[in-house]
Amino acid sequence: MSLRGSSDAEKRNIETMLNLIFFGPPGVGKGTQAARVAKFYNLIHVSTGEILREEIRLQTDLGMKVKDVMARGELVSDDLLIELLENTCAKHKGARGFVFDGFPRTLRQAEALDEMMKRQNCKVAKVIALDVPEEELLRRLVNRAIEQGRTDDTVEVIKNRLIIYQNYTKPLIDFYKKQGIFVGVPGVGTIEDVFSSLCTVIDNRY
Ligand code: AMP
């Protein structure tokens, strides 16, 4: 059993797990679509922003540490995020796969995720970017701030988050293009339309 058994199990991981990254600037609709895709394909939705907001709500040590940085719309440190992601994935050992939403946001995070995937004998199948014109993004972000009362979304903070996306996160497009797993999907239209385009990309991933 031992050797052959474990190599079969490893092979299973890489063949059957489905790991996706939802990529794009804030306001692009990643959260909504990532949640739907995760439900539809029976995957674990990992939204680092949601996890951090919950830590703040519960006033944990981590929450207290990240509160001010998040309120300014800046990035929480790579070390904290990488640890958070590893702990979150470790809680779902038998999962069919993950939909990462809001992670990675820096090159260091992307490299750490690659290493983690290798250690688990898994891989990221696709990095899916939702494309939305910038004016539409700003409109959506301002509306969301009003509707959901998101305290991290004042106009100043929204602009800051978009600049940080341009400077730190956007360069990851090249990183994933080099791996041949980057794909863009139009993020305008109804939630249904976008979901259906996403399913087409995911179903044709091989
Ligand atoms: P989000 O809901 O994904 O827009 O994230 C909200 C905020 O959480 C961001 O503006 C950051 O302050 C923080 N955050 C979430 N994910 C990350 C990440 N991968 N790296 C650094 N900071 C993050």
Side-chain angles (χ1 to χ4, degrees):
M1 157 79 198
S2 59
L3 269 182
R4 186 162 151 61
S6 70
S7 70
D8 278 354
E10 279 173 8
K11 209 168 148 205
R12 240 188 344 262
N13 255 4
I14 210 148
E15 280 170 7
T16 61
M17 263 192 105
L18 171 57
N19 297 304
L20 304 167
I21 293 174
F22 271 47
F23 191 86
V28 86
K30 294 191 300 288
T32 309
Q33 294 295 345
R36 284 197 71 165
V37 163
K39 194 163 175 219
F40 189 74
Y41 290 92
N42 192 20
L43 309 170
I44 306 290
H45 178 202
V46 179
S47 159
T48 45
E50 280 301 322
I51 296 171
L52 292 172
R53 276 188 290 276
E54 183 64 6
E55 296 281 333
I56 293 175
R57 203 181 60 76
L58 297 173
Q59 303 192 337
T60 63
D61 287 349
L62 174 61
M64 294 303 96
K65 241 186 237 171
V66 302
K67 198 172 172 213
D68 293 343
V69 178
M70 279 179 74
R72 290 195 297 269
E74 288 165 13
L75 292 183
V76 174
S77 82
D78 285 336
D79 285 341
L80 278 183
L81 256 296
I82 291 165
E83 193 185 336
L84 179 77
L85 190 93
E86 292 195 348
N87 291 342
T88 305
C89 292
K91 281 189 204 144
H92 300 280
K93 276 254 153 36
R96 253 207 90 211
F98 294 93
V99 181
F100 299 109
D101 158 17
F103 187 98
R105 267 175 151 102
T106 65
L107 188 58
R108 226 194 108 210
Q109 292 179 17
E111 285 167 351
L113 180 61
D114 269 5
E115 278 161 28
M116 191 183 97
M117 288 281 147
K118 268 192 210 127
R119 281 201 304 275
Q120 311 285 331
N121 195 41
C122 303
K123 60 177 182 166
V124 173
K126 283 275 175 249
V127 178
I128 305 175
L130 292 174
D131 295 324
V132 170
E134 189 153 340
E135 324 79 71
E136 171 68 11
L137 274 186
L138 271 172
R139 201 186 57 77
R140 285 188 192 182
L141 283 166
V142 171
N143 279 348
R144 180 169 78 181
I146 295 166
E147 281 163 18
Q148 300 179 357
R150 275 178 62 152
T151 50
D152 58 345
D153 275 2
T154 63
V155 172
E156 231 12 72
V157 170
I158 288 170
K159 285 192 182 146
N160 206 14
R161 295 173 85 211
L162 289 173
I163 292 170
I164 284 172
Y165 169 78
Q166 293 286 338
N167 293 345
Y168 295 96
T169 310
K170 210 174 170 193
L172 293 185
I173 294 178
D174 273 348
F175 178 82
Y176 287 119
K177 275 190 174 161
K178 276 186 200 136
Q179 296 189 12
I181 56 174
F182 187 86
V183 56
V185 168
V188 281
T190 65
I191 291 183
E192 243 356 280
D193 289 341
V194 178
F195 179 66
S196 148
S197 313
L198 289 168
C199 291
T200 306
V201 164
I202 295 166
D203 294 341
N204 294 318
R205 64 189 174 276
Y206 299 110

